[in-house]
């Protein structure tokens, strides 16, 4: 009955190979698009080609009579049952927002918005018929440029009367967490140093590799919905709230999910419409988006202007930081659109002891795809701004950028530390991480080489970029979320089932899509219960199995969800102990739990947990009052966030003749506290760095002047491949978190948050001797070259010839 | 409809297909070979990579009718008698995947790459995978996996 | 996405293919499909009939014919890239082909398809022009031969008419010439922002002959004739080549798009030309 496998001495911290790999490397996968049910219909969406228009007529006649078409639905058909898509986070009570329909009824506010749904026997027939739907539009003026939109020059939603959704402010003097920033700025103006910069956080597209897909089966008593989502629990509750389907009649399953990065943290129009189509036709319905649809209509990320004012004394001590943000919401508010910039608002002060801080943020509507969470959500923006401007301060003062940081950062013996934005940092050691990173990088040698290249005016210049970041992670404390205006909580749930044969089922409310929870949670449980790693099965992503949960995003899964698993394991042991005592006829006080066995102290009588589970299953020797189960449920809601940190160093070679930037080396030392599985942590860091580099150098969601997404395919939206990225040197220091028993901090977003400023700082550093102090992201060869020429680096918004031109040409042929 | 006969993963299939059917859709929908996936519509991402007569191709850019009379190997046909292919094993042992969506394509392209160049450098591996996108791993462990598989094959 | 429906024919001879093209008004030739199938998937084209050249054996293969190499239109990129004859006599073509797309695409895509597709950012037209290739077109009136410089008429438009087929590419042997294709992109798997195809014949340390053509500096490949002339008789040194390359952008009308504006491309053309010529000269 008991486990036969020898388990390694320490399960926690061991680089276990992942359990989830076997099916993924053999193609035994269950992506939503794989699901085929008898009688299943397929959906195709008709989407608006215009960014802003009134719908004046829709003719579905030809489409309805096409082969295999079951029905064609328009906004007029669904307006009374579609409800409105939710925004779960009003950052101020008077926040303004347009009604957000799943299918447009009279008005479209971005190119890509759904205007009709074709339901047909096959996907091909659905697509054929979608081409036959004839929609008449009356075009309206478009609000595209963020700053112009903020000035209400053209309204994205004329009915709203303004483009401004909300204005939010934090002031350290008012909050009593610090001094008055205006005073610091005036002081710096005479006699100190004032750095004023404006940075652009370009629009990014999450571009998870698995396009979104939804299947809805209305044929059972419960409606079953499969969705390629990060948040099956959210989808369930919102289907209930938005469509009025009783919550207990809905089951949502997130099967294998191919990446998310925040892009699948959404309750989508496509989910609503697939469910409505299934309900109307009484048949299972499936919709899988194409990549083009995903790029135009799945939510985007970032897209802000950041005005930064940094006040300091001449010795490099920062005295105040002022931040003014304008954030592009796009056409609507999605689930947490409005709060994304605010999630960064508490992190602009980074790892530093700034005495005064002020932030304002204006959320603005435009006629573009709506923005929402994308890996890091608010914190990459904040970290970019502060780490860029700390380099500017160093340059202004002729100091080494690391020295300026050191002058201002929190020392390791000053933790816990309450920052100027009111966050309490639990633990950290910036000195240690930075020292290790410098050594691995060969910082001093690279500086020498840089000097030589500057002196010889080498056409290839070398730049060194520094980024010392921290983030608040483990999006959780429910009380904090409530105080910020979020409608939900942040706890997590887990349960553990002790099976009669000694195997263990762990049910988690997190919803992994690549992060390896099946492996890591198994390690936690194997460690705590003393069972073999392979005897643990982790179940997730099905609301019928994992009934409670708040899913995966915001680097929360381990710090919140993993802790819930640990708590459930402890409860199992608590329940097991008296039963073990009863069965071994010993006193509870004489029992100890070691290596998976309850033993009677001072004797060699013992009973393995697995044997106990079998005895409980039989019940033969249990008293009538005993509970015939060792299973346990637990939730965890942390007291506070945790604050991982790290030092990232990047060397970039800039070819001044062509403007091309090439990363020569990249070193990072992250401190994510205790580590459950170093292999998984390293993988998260690699992937995060790649996405951060992509923001620095490659990716940008570009619209043309009519509001058409120019980067509407992977030909123009440049996701880097292996051939475009360097190898990374990664290492860690380990300062345990004090906000949870495991001592862990989140890692999912760290790489993305840290790497972007490291790369851009390096590019700018390479060009510093030419008088350059900024290059807008992404730092394309054209932008770098134009900057060097002293020209405005306005890159035309037009796609590569082969896609648009060739294709429209072919289209005419 | 056009009648085709294709050998997929060692089994011969004769089917009527619409000429417009892409090979990847034929594999997934008609043969149930859902291990091969679709990630884009412009032939950029490589998620759909399979072998056609032993060479890697993007199965979203081949018509099923073009495969008539040919041999296709997918990720599902690699393991023999339950033994993983060395490249599959290397991806597992080197944490070369996270969400796994790109993985079938990555593995199929890596096998092709190693067939052409049995002992590639890191840079050669990176260049050989230029037609395959991964959003999760940052590629580092993918490169490591391919190098490890090359070492193991020696 | 799924292409719109079409009828499919897979003839086994050129004559059959020509007959099918003549018979059907809205027919499209399918070669490797690496440009056409994505276009069909996005439904930017919806021909009624597809004529697949994939089963015409006579269109495939590389052979010598006196002073020329003859490459069948349906020869895949991968074969061109790795062929010993091409490496010896038309190295420039092999080098440029190796930069096209990615390995999977190069297994399917064909030299003929790339030339007829005539994307201004495509990498094979410029080397074809630089090497003075001749293109053999078969039509209802028989076969005709068109010089590469006359073949490319406009963006996506060539001398191949609707009912014609490109059947082979004749490349004059450039045995012993140094060659280099300098392709500039932002990510590796990308079409050229600007590309420079250069081949030089050295006489001792100086350049006896040079052929230079540019990719994506206009709607068709551009022969950098001024550069070629300026290079003749010059030593293969950085200074001399730079002086000649400074004329690379003369007479070009490059596009402006998200990868860069026309002025940037004109600048790139001079830098990349210098690099390409120096690399070709082995300097
Ligand atoms: C992801 C990706 C990246 C790419 N990157 C590049 C790149 O960097 N550089 C580059 O040069 N190319 C690139 N390509 C295109 C590639 O080179 C294609 O192989 C080429 O453009 C078309 O060749 P094909 O054989 O596939 O032709 P097809 O796609 O089959 O046909 C292309 C066109 O030519 C016509 N045609 C083809 N052959 C003939 C013939 N013999 N006679 C008459 N008409 C004919 C067809 O009717 C069609 O209009 C890329 C393609 C992809 C998918
Ligand atoms: S699906 Fe085939 S390349 Fe993307
Ligand atoms: S592992 Fe997720 S895309 Fe590669």
């Amino acid at each position: 009955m008991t486990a036969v496998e020898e388990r390694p001495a320490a399960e926690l911290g061991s680089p276990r190979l992942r359990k989830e790999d076997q099916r993924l490397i053999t193609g035994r996968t269950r992506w939503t698009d794989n699901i085929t049910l008898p009688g299943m219909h397929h959906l195709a969406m008709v989407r608006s080609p215009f960014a802003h228009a009134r719908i004046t007529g829709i003719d579905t006649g030809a489409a309805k009579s096409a082969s295999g078409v079951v029905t064609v639905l328009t906004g007029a058909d669904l307006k009374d049952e579609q409800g409105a898509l939710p925004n779960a986070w009003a950052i101020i009570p008077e926040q303004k927002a347009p009604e957000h329909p799943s299918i447009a009824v009279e008005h479209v506010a971005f190119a890509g918005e759904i205007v009709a749904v074709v339901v047909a026997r096959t996907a091909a027939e659905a697509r054929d018929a979608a081409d036959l739907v004839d929609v008449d539009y009356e075009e309206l003026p478009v609000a595209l440029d963020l700053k112009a939109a903020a000035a209400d020059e053209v309204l994205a939603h004329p009915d709203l009367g303004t483009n401004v959704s909300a204005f939010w402010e934090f002031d350290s003097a008012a909050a009593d967490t610090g001094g008055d920033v205006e005073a610091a700025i005036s002081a710096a103006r005479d006699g100190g140093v004032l750095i004023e910069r404006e940075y652009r956080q370009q629009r990014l597209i999450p571009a998870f590799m698995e396009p979104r897909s939804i299947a809805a089966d209305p044929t059972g008593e419960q409606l079953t919905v499969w969705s390629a989502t990060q948040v099956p629990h959210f989808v369930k509750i919102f289907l209930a709230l938005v469509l009025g389907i009783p919550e207990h009649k809905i089951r949502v399953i997130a099967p294998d999910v191919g990446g998310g990065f925040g892009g699948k943290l959404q309750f989508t129009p496509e989910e609503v419409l697939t469910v409505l189509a299934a309900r109307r036709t009484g048949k299972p319905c499936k919709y899988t988006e194409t990549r083009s649809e995903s790029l135009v209509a799945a939510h985007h990320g970032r897209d802000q202007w950041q005005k930064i004012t940094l006040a300091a004394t001449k010795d490099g001590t920062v005295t105040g930081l002022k931040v003014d943000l304008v954030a592009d919401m796009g056409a609507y508010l999605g689930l947490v659109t409005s709060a994304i910039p605010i999630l960064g608002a508490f992190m602009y002060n980074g790892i530093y002891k700034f005495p005064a801080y002020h932030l304002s943020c204006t959320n603005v509507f435009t006629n573009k795809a709506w923005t929402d969470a994308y890996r890091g959500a608010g914190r990459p923006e904040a970290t970019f701004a502060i780490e860029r401007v700390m380099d500017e301060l160093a340059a202004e003062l002729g100091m080494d950028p690391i020295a300026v940081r050191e002058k201002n950062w929190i020392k390791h013996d000053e933790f816990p530390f309450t920052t100027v934005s009111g966050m309490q940092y639990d633990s950290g050691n910036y000195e240690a991480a930075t020292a290790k990173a410098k050594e691995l990088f060969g910082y001093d040698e690279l500086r020498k080489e840089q000097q030589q290249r500057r002196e010889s005016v080498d056409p290839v210049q070398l730049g060194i970029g520094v980024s010392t970041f921290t983030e608040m992670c483990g999006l959780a404390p429910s009380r904090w979320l409530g105080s910020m205006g979020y409608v939900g909580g942040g706890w997590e749930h887990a349960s553990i089932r002790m099976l009669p044969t000694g195997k263990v089922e762990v049910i988690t409310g997190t919803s992994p899509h690549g992060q390896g929870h099946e492996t890591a949670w198994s390690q936690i449980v194997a460690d705590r219960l003393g069972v073999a790693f392979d005897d643990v099965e982790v179940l997730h992503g099905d609301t019928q199995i994992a009934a409670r949960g708040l899913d995966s995003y915001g680097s929360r899964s381990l710090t919140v969800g993993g802790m819930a698993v640990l708590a459930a394991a402890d409860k199992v042991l608590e329940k097991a102990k008296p039963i073990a005592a009863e069965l071994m006829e010993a006193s509870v006080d004489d029992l100890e739990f070691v290596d998976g066995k309850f033993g009677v102290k001072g004797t060699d009588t013992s009973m393995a947990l697995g044997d106990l589970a079998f005895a409980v299953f039989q019940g033969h020797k249990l008293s009538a009052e005993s509970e015939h189960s060792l299973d346990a449920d637990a939730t965890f809601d942390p007291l506070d966030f945790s604050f991982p940190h790290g030092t990232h160093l990047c060397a970039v070679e800039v070819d001044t003749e062509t403007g091309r930037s090439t990363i020569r080396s990249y070193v990072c030392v992250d401190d994510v506290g205790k580590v459950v599985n170093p292999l998984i942590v390293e993988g998260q860091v690699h992937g995060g760095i790649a996405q951060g580099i992509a923001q620095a150098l490659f990716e940008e969601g570009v619209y043309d002047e009519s509001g058409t997404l120019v980067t509407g395919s992977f030909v123009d939206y440049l996701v880097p491949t292996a051939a475009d990225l360097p190898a990374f040197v990664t290492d860690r220091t380990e300062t345990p978190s004090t906000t949870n028993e495991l001592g862990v901090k989140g890692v999912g977003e760290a790489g993305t948050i840290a790497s972007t400023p490291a790369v851009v700082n390096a590019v700018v550093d390479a060009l510093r001797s030419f008088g350059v102090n900024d290059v807008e992201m992404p730092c394309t060869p054209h932008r770098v070259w134009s900057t060097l020429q002293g020209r405005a680096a306005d890159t035309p918004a037009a796609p590569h010839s082969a896609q648009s031109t060739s294709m429209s040409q072919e289209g005419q042929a | 409809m056009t009648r085709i006969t294709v050998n997929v993963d060692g089994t011969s299939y004769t089917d009527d297909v619409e000429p417009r059917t892409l090979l990847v859709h034929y594999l997934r929908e008609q043969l149930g070979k859902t291990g091969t996936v679709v990630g884009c519509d412009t032939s950029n991402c490589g998620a759909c990579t399979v072998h056609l007569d032993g060479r890697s191709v993007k199965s979203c850019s081949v018509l099923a009718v073009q495969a008539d009379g040919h041999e296709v190997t997918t990720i599902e046909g690699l393991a023999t008698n339950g033994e993983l292919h060395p490249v599959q094993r290397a991806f597992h042992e080197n944490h070369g995947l996270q969400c796994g969506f790109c993985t079938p394509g990555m593995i199929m392209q890596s096998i092709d790459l190693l067939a052409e160049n049995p002992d590639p450098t890191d840079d050669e591996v990176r260049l050989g995978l230029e037609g395959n996108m991964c959003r999760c791993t940052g590629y580092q462990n993918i490169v490591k996996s391919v190098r490890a598989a090359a070492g193991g094959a020696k | 996405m799924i292409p719109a429906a079409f009828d499919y024919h897979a003839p086994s001879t050129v004559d059959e293919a020509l007959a099918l093209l003549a018979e059907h008004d809205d027919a499209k030739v399918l070669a490797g499909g690496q440009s056409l199938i994505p276009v069909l998937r996005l439904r930017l084209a919806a021909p009624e009939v597809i004529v697949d050249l994939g089963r015409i054996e006579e269109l495939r293969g590389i052979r010598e014919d006196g002073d020329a190499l003859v490459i069948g239109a349906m020869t895949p990129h991968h074969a061109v890239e790795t062929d010993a004859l091409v490496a010896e006599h038309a190295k420039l073509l092999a080098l440029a082909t190796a930069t096209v797309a990615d390995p999977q695409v190069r297994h399917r895509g064909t030299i003929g398809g790339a030339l007829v597709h005539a994307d201004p950012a495509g990498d094979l037209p410029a080397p074809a022009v630089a090497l003075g290739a001749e293109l053999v077109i078969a039509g209802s009136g028989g076969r005709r031969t068109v010089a590469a410089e006359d073949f490319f008429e406009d963006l996506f438009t060539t001398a191949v008419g609707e009912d014609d087929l490109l059947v082979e590419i004749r490349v004059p042997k450039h045995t012993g010439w140094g060659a280099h294709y300098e392709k500039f992109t932002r990510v590796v798997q990308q079409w050229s922002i600007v590309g420079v195809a250069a081949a030089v014949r050295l006489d001792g340390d100086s350049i006896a002959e040079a052929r230079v053509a540019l990719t994506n500096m206009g709607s068709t490949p551009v022969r950098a004739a001024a550069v070629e002339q300026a290079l003749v008789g010059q030593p293969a040194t950085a200074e001399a080549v730079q002086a000649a390359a400074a004329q690379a952008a003369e007479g070009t009308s490059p596009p402006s798009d998200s990868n860069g504006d026309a002025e940037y491309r004109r600048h790139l053309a001079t830098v990349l030309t210098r690099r390409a010529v120096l690399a070709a000269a082995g300097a």
Side-chain angles (χ1 to χ4, degrees), chain C residues 158-169:
Chain C
T158 68
V160 177
E162 289 210 342
D163 294 347
D164 293 340
L165 286 182
L166 174 65
V167 289
E168 60 193 32
I169 296 97

mmCIF file with all atom_site columns, all heavy atoms in Angstrom, chain C residues 158-169:
data_model
loop_
_atom_site.group_PDB
_atom_site.id
_atom_site.type_symbol
_atom_site.label_atom_id
_atom_site.label_alt_id
_atom_site.label_comp_id
_atom_site.label_asym_id
_atom_site.label_entity_id
_atom_site.label_seq_id
_atom_site.pdbx_PDB_ins_code
_atom_site.Cartn_x
_atom_site.Cartn_y
_atom_site.Cartn_z
_atom_site.occupancy
_atom_site.B_iso_or_equiv
_atom_site.pdbx_formal_charge
_atom_site.auth_seq_id
_atom_site.auth_comp_id
_atom_site.auth_asym_id
_atom_site.auth_atom_id
_atom_site.pdbx_PDB_model_num
ATOM 1  N N   . THR C 1 158 ? 5.697  40.244 -63.266 1.00 0.00 ? 158 THR C N   1
ATOM 2  C CA  . THR C 1 158 ? 6.846  39.833 -64.072 1.00 0.00 ? 158 THR C CA  1
ATOM 3  C C   . THR C 1 158 ? 6.405  39.615 -65.513 1.00 0.00 ? 158 THR C C   1
ATOM 4  O O   . THR C 1 158 ? 5.227  39.775 -65.852 1.00 0.00 ? 158 THR C O   1
ATOM 5  C CB  . THR C 1 158 ? 7.434  38.499 -63.571 1.00 0.00 ? 158 THR C CB  1
ATOM 6  O OG1 . THR C 1 158 ? 6.473  37.460 -63.826 1.00 0.00 ? 158 THR C OG1 1
ATOM 7  C CG2 . THR C 1 158 ? 7.755  38.544 -62.087 1.00 0.00 ? 158 THR C CG2 1
ATOM 8  N N   . ALA C 1 159 ? 7.351  39.203 -66.314 1.00 0.00 ? 159 ALA C N   1
ATOM 9  C CA  . ALA C 1 159 ? 7.068  38.922 -67.716 1.00 0.00 ? 159 ALA C CA  1
ATOM 10 C C   . ALA C 1 159 ? 6.255  37.641 -67.900 1.00 0.00 ? 159 ALA C C   1
ATOM 11 O O   . ALA C 1 159 ? 5.865  37.309 -69.014 1.00 0.00 ? 159 ALA C O   1
ATOM 12 C CB  . ALA C 1 159 ? 8.381  38.826 -68.495 1.00 0.00 ? 159 ALA C CB  1
ATOM 13 N N   . VAL C 1 160 ? 6.004  36.930 -66.805 1.00 0.00 ? 160 VAL C N   1
ATOM 14 C CA  . VAL C 1 160 ? 5.212  35.708 -66.901 1.00 0.00 ? 160 VAL C CA  1
ATOM 15 C C   . VAL C 1 160 ? 3.731  36.091 -66.960 1.00 0.00 ? 160 VAL C C   1
ATOM 16 O O   . VAL C 1 160 ? 3.199  36.667 -66.010 1.00 0.00 ? 160 VAL C O   1
ATOM 17 C CB  . VAL C 1 160 ? 5.481  34.786 -65.694 1.00 0.00 ? 160 VAL C CB  1
ATOM 18 C CG1 . VAL C 1 160 ? 4.608  33.540 -65.752 1.00 0.00 ? 160 VAL C CG1 1
ATOM 19 C CG2 . VAL C 1 160 ? 6.953  34.405 -65.641 1.00 0.00 ? 160 VAL C CG2 1
ATOM 20 N N   . GLY C 1 161 ? 3.082  35.812 -68.090 1.00 0.00 ? 161 GLY C N   1
ATOM 21 C CA  . GLY C 1 161 ? 1.668  36.157 -68.238 1.00 0.00 ? 161 GLY C CA  1
ATOM 22 C C   . GLY C 1 161 ? 0.770  35.160 -67.529 1.00 0.00 ? 161 GLY C C   1
ATOM 23 O O   . GLY C 1 161 ? 1.234  34.145 -67.009 1.00 0.00 ? 161 GLY C O   1
ATOM 24 N N   . GLU C 1 162 ? -0.531 35.467 -67.502 1.00 0.00 ? 162 GLU C N   1
ATOM 25 C CA  . GLU C 1 162 ? -1.479 34.639 -66.746 1.00 0.00 ? 162 GLU C CA  1
ATOM 26 C C   . GLU C 1 162 ? -1.486 33.183 -67.181 1.00 0.00 ? 162 GLU C C   1
ATOM 27 O O   . GLU C 1 162 ? -1.701 32.296 -66.368 1.00 0.00 ? 162 GLU C O   1
ATOM 28 C CB  . GLU C 1 162 ? -2.890 35.209 -66.899 1.00 0.00 ? 162 GLU C CB  1
ATOM 29 C CG  . GLU C 1 162 ? -3.060 36.514 -66.159 1.00 0.00 ? 162 GLU C CG  1
ATOM 30 C CD  . GLU C 1 162 ? -4.480 36.717 -65.686 1.00 0.00 ? 162 GLU C CD  1
ATOM 31 O OE1 . GLU C 1 162 ? -5.377 36.027 -66.209 1.00 0.00 ? 162 GLU C OE1 1
ATOM 32 O OE2 . GLU C 1 162 ? -4.679 37.550 -64.790 1.00 0.00 ? 162 GLU C OE2 1
ATOM 33 N N   . ASP C 1 163 ? -1.282 32.952 -68.478 1.00 0.00 ? 163 ASP C N   1
ATOM 34 C CA  . ASP C 1 163 ? -1.340 31.573 -68.969 1.00 0.00 ? 163 ASP C CA  1
ATOM 35 C C   . ASP C 1 163 ? 0.050  30.981 -69.192 1.00 0.00 ? 163 ASP C C   1
ATOM 36 O O   . ASP C 1 163 ? 0.189  29.948 -69.839 1.00 0.00 ? 163 ASP C O   1
ATOM 37 C CB  . ASP C 1 163 ? -2.153 31.508 -70.274 1.00 0.00 ? 163 ASP C CB  1
ATOM 38 C CG  . ASP C 1 163 ? -3.616 31.848 -70.026 1.00 0.00 ? 163 ASP C CG  1
ATOM 39 O OD1 . ASP C 1 163 ? -4.007 31.878 -68.832 1.00 0.00 ? 163 ASP C OD1 1
ATOM 40 O OD2 . ASP C 1 163 ? -4.343 32.105 -70.997 1.00 0.00 ? 163 ASP C OD2 1
ATOM 41 N N   . ASP C 1 164 ? 1.069  31.695 -68.656 1.00 0.00 ? 164 ASP C N   1
ATOM 42 C CA  . ASP C 1 164 ? 2.450  31.243 -68.857 1.00 0.00 ? 164 ASP C CA  1
ATOM 43 C C   . ASP C 1 164 ? 2.978  30.491 -67.648 1.00 0.00 ? 164 ASP C C   1
ATOM 44 O O   . ASP C 1 164 ? 2.463  30.623 -66.536 1.00 0.00 ? 164 ASP C O   1
ATOM 45 C CB  . ASP C 1 164 ? 3.372  32.459 -69.058 1.00 0.00 ? 164 ASP C CB  1
ATOM 46 C CG  . ASP C 1 164 ? 3.100  33.198 -70.356 1.00 0.00 ? 164 ASP C CG  1
ATOM 47 O OD1 . ASP C 1 164 ? 2.488  32.597 -71.258 1.00 0.00 ? 164 ASP C OD1 1
ATOM 48 O OD2 . ASP C 1 164 ? 3.496  34.378 -70.434 1.00 0.00 ? 164 ASP C OD2 1
ATOM 49 N N   . LEU C 1 165 ? 4.081  29.799 -67.908 1.00 0.00 ? 165 LEU C N   1
ATOM 50 C CA  . LEU C 1 165 ? 4.829  29.178 -66.824 1.00 0.00 ? 165 LEU C CA  1
ATOM 51 C C   . LEU C 1 165 ? 6.287  29.582 -66.938 1.00 0.00 ? 165 LEU C C   1
ATOM 52 O O   . LEU C 1 165 ? 6.832  29.633 -68.048 1.00 0.00 ? 165 LEU C O   1
ATOM 53 C CB  . LEU C 1 165 ? 4.788  27.648 -66.949 1.00 0.00 ? 165 LEU C CB  1
ATOM 54 C CG  . LEU C 1 165 ? 3.516  26.917 -66.605 1.00 0.00 ? 165 LEU C CG  1
ATOM 55 C CD1 . LEU C 1 165 ? 3.773  25.415 -66.764 1.00 0.00 ? 165 LEU C CD1 1
ATOM 56 C CD2 . LEU C 1 165 ? 3.107  27.226 -65.173 1.00 0.00 ? 165 LEU C CD2 1
ATOM 57 N N   . LEU C 1 166 ? 6.887  29.853 -65.795 1.00 0.00 ? 166 LEU C N   1
ATOM 58 C CA  . LEU C 1 166 ? 8.342  29.952 -65.780 1.00 0.00 ? 166 LEU C CA  1
ATOM 59 C C   . LEU C 1 166 ? 8.840  28.514 -65.706 1.00 0.00 ? 166 LEU C C   1
ATOM 60 O O   . LEU C 1 166 ? 8.415  27.756 -64.828 1.00 0.00 ? 166 LEU C O   1
ATOM 61 C CB  . LEU C 1 166 ? 8.799  30.744 -64.551 1.00 0.00 ? 166 LEU C CB  1
ATOM 62 C CG  . LEU C 1 166 ? 10.309 30.805 -64.333 1.00 0.00 ? 166 LEU C CG  1
ATOM 63 C CD1 . LEU C 1 166 ? 10.992 31.570 -65.455 1.00 0.00 ? 166 LEU C CD1 1
ATOM 64 C CD2 . LEU C 1 166 ? 10.629 31.465 -62.993 1.00 0.00 ? 166 LEU C CD2 1
ATOM 65 N N   . VAL C 1 167 ? 9.691  28.113 -66.632 1.00 0.00 ? 167 VAL C N   1
ATOM 66 C CA  . VAL C 1 167 ? 10.122 26.709 -66.591 1.00 0.00 ? 167 VAL C CA  1
ATOM 67 C C   . VAL C 1 167 ? 11.558 26.533 -66.112 1.00 0.00 ? 167 VAL C C   1
ATOM 68 O O   . VAL C 1 167 ? 11.851 25.592 -65.397 1.00 0.00 ? 167 VAL C O   1
ATOM 69 C CB  . VAL C 1 167 ? 9.912  25.988 -67.943 1.00 0.00 ? 167 VAL C CB  1
ATOM 70 C CG1 . VAL C 1 167 ? 8.436  25.775 -68.199 1.00 0.00 ? 167 VAL C CG1 1
ATOM 71 C CG2 . VAL C 1 167 ? 10.557 26.742 -69.092 1.00 0.00 ? 167 VAL C CG2 1
ATOM 72 N N   . GLU C 1 168 ? 12.448 27.431 -66.528 1.00 0.00 ? 168 GLU C N   1
ATOM 73 C CA  . GLU C 1 168 ? 13.801 27.281 -65.992 1.00 0.00 ? 168 GLU C CA  1
ATOM 74 C C   . GLU C 1 168 ? 14.548 28.599 -65.917 1.00 0.00 ? 168 GLU C C   1
ATOM 75 O O   . GLU C 1 168 ? 14.179 29.588 -66.546 1.00 0.00 ? 168 GLU C O   1
ATOM 76 C CB  . GLU C 1 168 ? 14.603 26.226 -66.771 1.00 0.00 ? 168 GLU C CB  1
ATOM 77 C CG  . GLU C 1 168 ? 14.774 26.541 -68.232 1.00 0.00 ? 168 GLU C CG  1
ATOM 78 C CD  . GLU C 1 168 ? 15.299 25.331 -69.012 1.00 0.00 ? 168 GLU C CD  1
ATOM 79 O OE1 . GLU C 1 168 ? 14.978 24.183 -68.647 1.00 0.00 ? 168 GLU C OE1 1
ATOM 80 O OE2 . GLU C 1 168 ? 16.024 25.554 -70.000 1.00 0.00 ? 168 GLU C OE2 1
ATOM 81 N N   . ILE C 1 169 ? 15.587 28.557 -65.125 1.00 0.00 ? 169 ILE C N   1
ATOM 82 C CA  . ILE C 1 169 ? 16.415 29.741 -64.904 1.00 0.00 ? 169 ILE C CA  1
ATOM 83 C C   . ILE C 1 169 ? 17.812 29.370 -65.375 1.00 0.00 ? 169 ILE C C   1
ATOM 84 O O   . ILE C 1 169 ? 18.382 28.380 -64.906 1.00 0.00 ? 169 ILE C O   1
ATOM 85 C CB  . ILE C 1 169 ? 16.437 30.132 -63.401 1.00 0.00 ? 169 ILE C CB  1
ATOM 86 C CG1 . ILE C 1 169 ? 15.017 30.533 -62.943 1.00 0.00 ? 169 ILE C CG1 1
ATOM 87 C CG2 . ILE C 1 169 ? 17.391 31.284 -63.138 1.00 0.00 ? 169 ILE C CG2 1
ATOM 88 C CD1 . ILE C 1 169 ? 14.248 29.452 -62.284 1.00 0.00 ? 169 ILE C CD1 1
#
